[in-house]
Amino acid sequence: SSGINAEYGDSSTISLYEMQLLFLTALLAFSPLALTCDSPESCSCYWSNYDFYGSDVGRRNNVASIEECIQHCRTTDGCVAVSYVQHWKGCFFKSKVQGDSPGHSSNIQSVSLGCLAPRPLGEHCIQRDHEFAGADITTKLGVSSLEMCVELCTGVPRCVAVSYRHTGGKCYFKKKRRGDYQREKDGYDSAYIFCNHTA
């Protein structure tokens, strides 16, 4: 006890408020919501021993890793998060960023894709002078650019693609990667949110 008192002073002088502050600081340091990142080793986008319960939009078996599970999610309509069952390699696709509710579950990793470091919006992800028609979730006016439309989409549940009308800055959030169908249309640009080089 003498070492503690030498460093921090008499323990009786630590107020209840200071004790609560120390507790909250420690809690936040280990909270799965604390950080964003782009690798499982350094970030809390990856929720170890957590399941995102509910909001399933599909499932895939025999998936080798959480990273592969994420890649399958990127090409699955409506998928914005995953839960990965490590011991039997099951990948569950979610339509909400944390499912209906996150909860402790052994040997499961979960990831919200919007939490991961954003990828640059390459031209291979963009369809210039094209509209993704139908499959709308909602719309927003006064959006300054296609890039901003894409960024807003990452915060909309089930949004996996956008169409952007330059006149009026109208952003259409889509629950399917190409809407119900894709068509040429002047004044519109469209983009996939979770895009890879084979999209």
Side-chain angles (χ1 to χ4, degrees), residues 8 21 31 34 37 61 77-78 88 155 164:
Y8 295 105
L21 187 61
S31 167
C37 56
N61 296 327
D77 285 340
W88 58 269
Y164 178 71

Side-chain angles (χ1 to χ4, degrees), residues 145-179:
S145 65
L146 174 64
E147 289 73 19
M148 180 57 70
C149 184
V150 166
E151 186 166 339
L152 291 170
C153 173
T154 63
V156 174
R158 298 184 298 137
C159 185
V160 295
V162 299
S163 285
Y164 178 71
R165 188 185 72 191
H166 291 272
T167 302
K170 191 169 186 178
C171 181
Y172 299 80
F173 303 111
K174 307 290 180 175
K175 62 186 176 183
K176 295 182 180 179
R177 279 172 54 79
R178 294 177 175 85

